[in-house]
Amino acid sequence: MDIETDGRFGNKRMHNRLGPGSGGGPSSTNGRVCNFWREGRCNRFPCPFLHSELPEAAAPPKRPSGPGGNVWRNPTAGGRGGGRGHNRWGRGPGGASAAVTHRPPDRPCKYFLAGECSYGDRCRYPHSYCISDSITMLTLLKGHDKSVTGIALPTGWSDKLYSGSKDGTVRMWDCQTGQCAGVIPMGREVGCMINEGPWLFIGIPDGVKVWNMQTSAEMNLTGPTGQVYALAVASELLFAATQDGRILAWRFSAATNCFEPAASLDGHKLAVVSLIVGGMRLYSASMDKTIRVWDLATLQCVQTLSDHTDVVMSVLCWDQFLLSCSLDQTIKVWAATESGNLEVTYTHKEEQGALALSGMPDAQSKPVLLCSLNDNTVRLYDLPSFSDRGRIFSKQEIRAIQMGPGGLFFTGDGTGELKVWQWVDGAQT
């Protein structure tokens, strides 16, 4: 694969400021910058002091409401993707100078993200949870009071969206109303959550809780030591990544209608924090800075990847490639050589530590990579070019990203907020 990059993400452009009044250059200001502008509070039109780095405005992108019958709605309409209209700096059409348009800022209002902005539509920064013309936020689900660590949408088996949190609960959300339909107490922090068929698997300290959504049958799988950080299902086996560095496996027995211990995959020296299955391989990422490749037929480690220099936080399979991200501020793309071993074929450098990877097709069925960073953002990249598709912003780190049907996807952050997103048709040509 020929992978290209368009340079550093989010490079900022410097802009010349417009002179006050009708004349242009400053006179009595002596080049002073407006302190109120720096604080985002200047409301003087025109202002006698400098407003530097004025961004050029653009018309806000269209915000389709998604396909017909989409039930995810935002009743407040605030914070939709694409941003709001902004104030236009400069004199109005009846003034001495013509109105000037500017490019929107590359970040939303930080006070809006914190829920503290009092300027509303008069704010010169977007009131939006994303900067992108490819996605729109449909609704914000509030209920958890600690970090969301797992999201599951068991399409075909349940009409509910499930979210697990460090607050020790799993919440069920009604997909028709967006309201919380029930709270399941776990008693301990939820470390991860996945679904497979009618089963919902929930990783907690020292165990895995199993719930059958059809029969309401519950099981408790024991064996893990410490928190279970990741779960995966393959070859009729359930795998759990544990805090002590082991990967435990259970096999479902139809005879006993239970999950029975099958194997322990040992090799990592520190906690395993991510699992992904691709082909006949299980890939595990660990705090020991390595990725291990396990043969699903033999459950033996066939390769250890050691190119990252810090904790490997997440792994993802895409096409014939393995992608990994790390606190070393890189995303690495791995490809198989003629010998069958994986080697790094491309490294994408970030400016922050990378936390979680996910991928899905956009509205035009083009593959897009989502990467959560520890600056409370998610970057969206086209694959394989890594060209920028925008950013999602949050109050705290986003650790949970889950794909859904029909162009939907979900993100959960450290405050407990769960957001529902939709890819926008026709945003990318």
Side-chain angles (χ1 to χ4, degrees), residues 224-343:
T225 299
Q227 180 63 272
V228 173
Y229 290 116
L231 295 161
V233 175
S235 301
E236 300 182 350
L237 291 170
L238 169 68
F239 296 95
T242 66
Q243 191 170 352
D244 67 358
R246 295 179 299 155
I247 303 170
L248 300 184
W250 294 266
R251 190 183 304 276
F252 180 74
S253 170
T256 62
N257 201 36
C258 292
F259 289 84
E260 299 178 349
S264 176
L265 285 59
D266 302 324
H268 284 294
K269 298 177 181 178
L270 295 173
V272 180
V273 295
S274 181
L275 297 173
I276 195 70
V277 173
M280 284 300 294
R281 295 288 189 266
L282 172 71
Y283 303 93
S284 57
S286 171
M287 293 180 68
D288 65 13
K289 308 177 186 179
T290 70
I291 301 167
R292 284 184 173 259
V293 184
W294 308 86
D295 187 307
L296 287 176
T298 63
L299 298 183
Q300 298 298 309
C301 180
V302 295
Q303 189 180 1
T304 301
L305 311 178
S306 305
D307 289 49
H308 282 292
T309 59
D310 208 332
V311 176
V312 186
M313 294 296 295
S314 184
V315 283
L316 176 70
C317 290
W318 172 68
D319 201 3
Q320 71 269 37
F321 302 96
L322 175 72
L323 286 78
S324 60
C325 71
S326 167
L327 295 183
D328 65 11
Q329 303 182 3
T330 67
I331 302 171
K332 292 187 182 293
V333 180
W334 308 77
T337 62
E338 292 184 359
S339 66
N341 287 333
L342 291 173
E343 291 185 357

Side-chain angles (χ1 to χ4, degrees), residues 165-238:
S165 168
K166 287 186 177 181
D167 64 12
T169 68
V170 170
R171 285 182 173 262
M172 297 183 292
W173 305 91
D174 191 308
C175 293
Q176 299 299 317
T177 65
Q179 300 299 310
C180 181
V183 180
I184 307 172
M186 293 290 108
R188 311 187 75 179
E189 288 189 359
V190 174
C192 57
M193 182 170 61
I194 64 169
N195 68 280
E196 181 70 20
W199 302 100
L200 190 66
F201 302 102
I202 305 158
I204 59 174
D206 304 323
V208 177
K209 285 188 175 289
V210 183
W211 183 43
N212 188 304
M213 290 172 285
Q214 286 187 320
T215 66
S216 297
E218 297 183 25
M219 285 175 261
N220 293 304
L221 307 183
T222 59
T225 299
Q227 180 63 272
V228 173
Y229 290 116
L231 295 161
V233 175
S235 301
E236 300 182 350
L237 291 170
L238 169 68

